[in-house]
Amino acid sequence: MADLIDRHGPLDMTPADNEFRRLVVSILNQQLSTASARAVRERAFDVLDGQVTPDTVLSADQDALREAGLSDSKVEYVRNCAQAFQERDLTRGALDEYGDDAVIDLLTEIRGVGEWTARMYLIFALGREDVLPLGDLAVRRGIDELYGDGDASMARSEMRAIAESWRPYRSVGTRYVWQAYESE
């Protein structure tokens, strides 16, 4: 980890200003490459005139969102999140007293938000410092390349053991692993 920190320098760990927008970003990133997700996100956000709020998502033309590259299911998922944000306070301040597992449970009640998306929300929207998202393929590949033999044979239990030394800042370690993996 020290080598990664030296190589990549300090990372900006500031949580997203707009929690809802960050949740939408995670949904759009689901099961897409970084480049594909970025392209879809840019087109979808153009449909919303850059105003990514529950109101703009719910009032947006669904066909325009599909034309921007969202699948039918992703249109449904971002709309479900918009409704959830209108019905309850899912912001950083409201969730501050909830533990990580409680936040994951709360978010995964929303159709379209799975554990991976909830963990991304913990890291990027809520600024939680000790999240290890082993459901993320890039994290697993990155840990395997950095600490294993790079043949994707490392078990998740081995990865958890490696990340124990990162506690209580596993989110920071995770972000460095992503940085290393994406820069190769």
Side-chain angles (χ1 to χ4, degrees), residues 20-136:
F20 175 74
R21 179 186 176 111
R22 184 56 212 162
L23 183 58
V24 170
V25 167
S26 291
I27 288 171
L28 298 181
N29 287 351
Q30 291 172 355
Q31 301 176 350
L32 291 177
S33 71
T34 302
S36 295
R38 184 179 305 113
V40 169
R41 182 173 61 247
E42 288 172 3
R43 291 190 306 265
F45 288 3
D46 283 347
V47 170
L48 302 172
D49 293 325
Q51 300 300 311
V52 185
T53 68
D55 290 339
T56 61
V57 166
L58 291 172
S59 64
D61 182 287
Q62 293 180 44
D63 289 331
L65 290 172
R66 286 184 196 92
E67 289 171 15
L70 275 70
S71 64
D72 289 342
S73 58
K74 285 197 180 181
V75 170
E76 175 193 350
Y77 297 164
V78 296
R79 290 178 55 80
N80 291 345
C81 290
Q83 289 171 330
F85 262 75
Q86 286 185 332
E87 293 167 3
R88 46 195 158 162
D89 189 351
L90 298 172
T91 62
R92 201 170 16 265
L95 299 177
D96 194 42
E97 294 183 24
Y98 286 75
D100 293 350
D101 290 338
V103 172
I104 290 170
D105 290 344
L106 186 66
L107 291 174
T108 56
E109 291 174 2
I110 304 167
R111 180 170 159 74
V113 176
E115 188 172 325
W116 178 87
T117 303
R119 289 187 185 283
M120 297 303 105
Y121 193 75
L122 286 169
I123 294 170
F124 294 106
L126 301 185
R128 300 290 174 92
E129 296 178 333
D130 197 32
V131 179
L132 180 65
L134 290 181
D136 188 274

